[in-house]
Amino acid sequence: MENNNKAEQKKRILSGIQPSGALTLGNYVGALRNWVQLQKEDIYESYYMIADLHAITVRQEPAALRKNCMDLLAIFLACGLDGEKEPIFFQSHVPAHTQLGWVLDCNTYMGELSRMTQFKDKSRKHADNINAGLFTYPSLMAADILLYQADLVPVGKDQKQHLELTRDLANRFNNAYSETFKVPEPYIPKVGAKIMSLQEPTQKMSKSDPNENSYILLLDPIDKAVKKIKRAVTDSGSEVCMGEGKEGIENLMSIYSAMTGKTMDEITVEFQGKGYGDFKSAVAESVTETLKPIQERYADLMKNKDYLESIYKRGAEQANYTARKTISKVYRKVGFIQP
Ligand code: TRP
């Protein structure tokens, strides 16, 4: 009983990732690892979602989508999210997302959606498939968040514009139909070292980069990850420090810092008088130490499909319970007759 009361007072977090293929070390440091930390702090109640409905805004091969979804669930757990304690679920398992998505579509202006930079980017990238779902994606994302009355939404910078729209939609609905939604805040983590490309360190590390050596995947075989670090671009100098023209070294320092918790200053001191070779070996070792246990847990989980199923089923049940409360309120307020 006491626990229930406590849960009601806790602020609520919701976030999601699209199952659109392998995650990079950058995704881990920028998102997943923070989620795990937030869950451990135990001051929030959190809902984590695999955004499969969002994924089909670009063409997906069904078998690959199915695999990516399961993979992502196993990765969430392997990274340390606790699906027994709090819901981890597939978006498509909670019908209220599309239900609220529609209501919000009818309260979102074409002009607002046309201004979304992600829409503009993706239309450029997928010029042969600029579908209506890609256009209305932000109101579905708003539904994801508002359904759970989330207080905080941990997202990367690229999602801030969608979150602003979510806030506008929440306020608009509340003003038109009376107080219904909590207006969520974005939660951009304090320490979120941005991990850059290993080949072009002025650009973000991204798995859509055609050069495989530019990114490390969470599930890269260890020897492959080590090779990518050894091949990372540096500069013609020899000092491990930050500065003009040292973006490559600085990025490796950020990675090392993210893996070990050491500050940039501490790292500079640690490698004074040592060469890039030694430094890269240390970076490779720190990455290995992070990836290895995750990969081992992932491999174990993938052998245990029943367990994965139990997690997503329970997640869907909890998520549906919360989401249904919001959608029935919304349906009532817009004037639909109760079934
Ligand atoms: N749009 C997000 C992305 O592409 C994923 C996402 C979908 C999301 N629904 C969400 C993130 C709700 C936070 C909250 O990265």
Side-chain angles (χ1 to χ4, degrees):
M1 246 0 234
E2 211 191 349
N3 275 343
N4 278 343
N5 287 337
K6 227 167 137 195
E8 269 161 21
Q9 288 158 12
K10 276 185 182 174
K11 288 207 172 195
R12 191 174 286 165
I13 283 186
L14 176 128
S15 197
I17 298 188
Q18 287 194 54
S20 42
L23 294 186
T24 66
L25 188 66
N27 298 131
Y28 173 67
V29 172
L32 263 177
R33 196 172 70 159
N34 296 318
W35 297 3
V36 173
Q37 195 51 44
L38 286 167
Q39 196 176 48
K40 286 218 175 92
E41 283 170 22
D42 208 31
I43 39 179
Y44 303 105
E45 187 194 354
S46 40
Y47 285 74
Y48 289 115
M49 177 186 79
I50 292 160
D52 51 3
L53 296 174
H54 282 269
I56 62 165
T57 53
V58 302
R59 279 196 195 96
Q60 300 284 342
E61 211 273 294
L65 178 59
R66 214 170 282 126
K67 165 140 199 340
N68 287 338
C69 283
M70 263 319 188
D71 261 7
L72 194 53
L73 174 65
I75 287 175
F76 277 15
L77 299 172
C79 287
L81 282 183
D82 186 349
E84 292 181 26
K85 190 173 127 210
E86 292 186 307
I88 299 177
F89 64 99
F90 293 114
Q91 188 184 22
S92 65
H93 290 183
V94 184
H97 288 257
T98 46
Q99 294 173 319
L100 181 59
W102 173 251
V103 175
L104 294 180
D105 275 348
C106 298
N107 287 277
T108 312
Y109 304 117
M110 302 280 283
E112 290 176 305
L113 294 171
S114 324
R115 283 195 290 277
M116 296 291 129
T117 52
Q118 190 170 338
F119 171 68
K120 290 191 240 174
D121 283 352
K122 287 206 174 174
S123 318
R124 233 175 281 125
K125 264 193 217 146
H126 305 274
D128 60 335
N129 182 23
I130 306 178
N131 62 73
L134 190 65
F135 188 63
T136 59
Y137 168 126
S139 36
L140 180 61
M141 176 163 163
D144 300 340
I145 297 165
L146 300 180
L147 270 180
Y148 298 92
Q149 308 288 352
D151 298 277
L152 292 174
V153 185
V155 282
K157 257 213 212 121
D158 64 322
Q159 295 297 316
K160 249 185 115 178
Q161 198 185 23
H162 291 158
L163 215 71
E164 267 148 35
L165 178 71
T166 302
R167 291 167 54 85
D168 288 346
L169 294 180
N171 282 319
R172 185 173 305 159
F173 192 96
N174 289 347
N175 290 333
Y177 298 100
S178 84
E179 201 63 27
T180 308
F181 297 123
K182 180 153 281 167
V183 182
E185 301 280 341
Y187 185 84
I188 317 272
K190 292 169 281 202
V191 276
K194 201 161 158 197
I195 308 284
M196 311 301 278
S197 156
L198 297 175
Q199 294 298 319
E200 275 170 78
T202 49
Q203 285 171 24
K204 202 173 139 187
M205 180 181 281
S206 159
K207 63 163 186 270
S208 49
D209 196 312
N211 184 351
E212 247 205 353
N213 281 322
S214 71
Y215 54 78
I216 295 173
L217 299 179
L218 222 45
L219 298 180
D220 261 346
I222 298 291
D223 55 338
K224 198 166 170 187
V226 168
K227 261 193 212 134
K228 289 178 179 180
I229 293 168
K230 299 269 159 99
R231 285 185 192 142
V233 300
T234 54
D235 51 70
S236 56
S238 62
E239 258 170 278
V240 176
C241 62
M242 313 207 295
E244 271 289 303
K246 300 200 65 89
E247 290 82 6
I249 285 294
E250 194 168 323
N251 186 35
L252 290 172
M253 289 172 75
S254 301
I255 294 176
Y256 189 61
S257 162
M259 299 299 109
T260 59
K262 293 176 185 169
T263 66
M264 298 301 252
D265 284 341
E266 284 166 351
I267 297 168
T268 307
V269 172
E270 182 178 348
F271 292 96
Q272 229 155 34
K274 295 188 187 148
Y276 287 170
D278 284 348
F279 174 54
K280 280 185 167 177
S281 298
V283 177
E285 199 181 313
S286 71
V287 170
T288 302
E289 266 168 39
T290 304
L291 295 192
K292 218 166 156 215
I294 294 176
Q295 295 185 358
E296 283 166 5
R297 282 195 294 269
Y298 166 82
D300 282 346
L301 285 159
M302 288 307 275
K303 278 188 235 140
N304 198 345
K305 293 279 152 62
D306 288 347
Y307 180 71
L308 292 177
E309 189 179 317
S310 74
I311 293 293
Y312 71 67
K313 287 212 157 139
R314 143 202 229 138
E317 214 172 282
Q318 291 170 298
N320 269 305
Y321 177 81
T322 306
R324 240 185 260 126
K325 281 202 251 182
T326 305
I327 193 65
S328 35
K329 215 195 269 181
V330 168
Y331 270 20
R332 197 163 9 93
K333 293 205 183 192
V334 299
F336 296 155
I337 289 174
Q338 293 283 98

